[in-house]
Amino acid sequence: MRVYLCKNYEEMSDLAAKTVLSQVLLKPESVLGLATGSTPVGMYERLCRAAEAGEADFSRITTFNLDEYLGIEPENEQSYHSFMKKNFFTRAKIKAESIHMPSGSSEDALAECTAYDEAIAAAGGIDIQVLGIGQNGHIGFNEPGAELSSGTHIVELTESTIRANARFFENEALVPKKAITMGMRSIMLAKTVMLMASGKEKHEALSGLLSGKITTSNPSTMLNMHPNAIIICDEEAYNG
Ligand code: F6R
């Protein structure tokens, strides 16, 4: 595991964007695993600027997002579909047919899970998986618990995640209680995983990850077994 300690959010975002840009430069048809949330916004901004300046070409990439709320239409402003459109897909001109996101509104959610795993495999797996980290150590929406699921699955969000994500909604009651998320297998099979952590609230979860110990009560710790994991964090997340 390679750990990069950055001064602040901006430096973390710079390094994360450079890592993704190098991946796409070396392999223009890369399969990118993508995350939503506050953490990667700065990275997406830099990727969009690079695309707009003609310094990066995302025309041949394929993308797979980690997760989506369940029971939410893609057009809903709070959906991760909308987030990705606004923060990356539109400005970076990612082709609609190259974008994959789990559907939160599918009538058959279980079939959707199987189809999602099959689509990732058919694309040849993920080259680089971008990850944030939950305050409770979740990656994607793989929440802490006695067991972790390997495949894409439906998950009940924990109180802590609902509380943390309430900031994106008018009030906490409106945060969906369930989500559909990639499981640990797709994440662990990614050729490279790049986890970003910023801010004091992430200190405890990040410390668990950096301790080198592995526990399902902090799903991010599984990355200790990944052969090519990059952790990019800022001082607040690292020092608390
Ligand atoms: C989002 C995702 C989540 C977030 C995590 C941190 O697609 O998979 O694991 O990365 O909840 O969220 P932020 O960045 O908002 O603190």
Side-chain angles (χ1 to χ4, degrees), residues 136-187:
N136 61 8
H138 72 219
I139 48 178
F141 275 139
N142 293 280
E143 296 280 37
E147 297 173 333
L148 297 173
S149 298
S150 52
T152 297
H153 60 285
I154 309 296
V155 64
E156 300 260 356
L157 299 177
T158 61
E159 286 293 321
S160 133
T161 300
I162 292 170
R163 223 174 305 122
N165 287 4
R167 67 191 193 280
F168 299 114
F169 292 79
E170 250 173 62
N171 62 61
E172 199 173 308
L174 294 176
V175 184
K177 307 287 177 284
K178 289 185 180 184
I180 176 166
T181 182
M182 238 184 232
M184 297 304 295
R185 185 177 56 226
S186 308
I187 296 173

Side-chain angles (χ1 to χ4, degrees), residues 70-133:
L70 207 66
I72 228 171
E73 297 293 331
E75 299 73 33
N76 187 310
E77 249 187 76
Q78 317 297 347
S79 75
Y80 285 172
H81 281 73
S82 297
F83 174 98
M84 289 306 300
K85 259 194 200 161
K86 178 171 156 227
N87 287 286
F88 184 52
F89 293 154
T90 306
R91 284 175 64 198
K93 295 199 170 63
I94 311 297
K95 293 192 188 103
E97 63 270 26
S98 309
I99 296 171
H100 302 82
M101 296 197 64
S103 165
S105 56
S106 162
E107 293 205 343
D108 188 345
L110 289 180
E112 172 70 22
C113 292
T114 311
Y116 204 64
D117 287 337
E118 285 170 0
I120 295 172
I126 292 167
D127 288 303
I128 184 166
Q129 176 64 57
V130 175
L131 296 169
I133 183 170

Side-chain angles (χ1 to χ4, degrees), residues 1-2 126-129 131 184-194 214 220-230:
M1 196 158 77
R2 278 173 290 157
I126 292 167
D127 288 303
I128 184 166
Q129 176 64 57
L131 296 169
M184 297 304 295
R185 185 177 56 226
S186 308
I187 296 173
M188 292 300 285
L189 284 178
K191 292 171 191 84
T192 300
V193 291
M194 181 185 78
I214 295 161
S220 74
T221 60
M222 299 290 148
L223 299 183
N224 281 294
M225 290 193 290
H226 195 284
N228 194 18
I230 304 170

